[in-house]
Amino acid sequence: MSARNRRLPRHLAWPLTTTDIDECLGPHMSRVTDLGFLTGHDSGTIVLGAAWVAPNPRNYGRGIHPDMVGFRIDIHPVDATDRAATRAVLRAQALPQLHEWITQAIAADETWQWTDHRRSWRLTDGHLTHHDEA
């Protein structure tokens, strides 16, 4: 993405590209309803986030639009000097985990699918961890 269109300060960069996500997910990419490249400056140690947006009713009985049901993926910015190292870790570890999480979610029972879920990957001192929320 060109510097003109990327909406990030020069000292920040996204560690992954749309192509990285496409290659990782393959046919599951059709289930992704939103792929976001975040522009916030303080994601802490979070480098990648994913969420399942369930078709559950919200707001006192109002439903969610069917086009919103699916997976959201957020790429968080990192220091530009750390981009290459972060990208290597994400491609080797986080993207296969993301693919597995989405594959399991697609095959999950109805109880799981009717509840929102989130997973985030954090990179601290070169060590990648993930955290799930439901």
Side-chain angles (χ1 to χ4, degrees), residues 21-32:
I21 303 297
D22 284 339
E23 289 174 358
C24 161
L25 296 181
H28 294 327
M29 191 65 187
S30 65
R31 303 231 184 190
V32 175

Side-chain angles (χ1 to χ4, degrees), residues 17-81:
T17 65
T18 302
T19 303
D20 293 329
I21 303 297
D22 284 339
E23 289 174 358
C24 161
L25 296 181
H28 294 327
M29 191 65 187
S30 65
R31 303 231 184 190
V32 175
T33 59
D34 186 31
L35 176 59
F37 290 84
L38 303 183
T39 58
H41 301 293
D42 189 14
S43 295
T45 57
I46 298 175
V47 290
L48 178 64
W52 165 251
V53 178
N56 60 348
R58 299 181 185 167
N59 300 330
Y60 303 104
R62 294 186 184 172
I64 185 167
H65 193 279
D67 289 346
M68 296 296 295
V69 175
F71 296 96
R72 290 182 48 99
I73 299 173
D74 294 324
I75 312 298
H76 294 253
V78 297
D79 285 338
T81 56

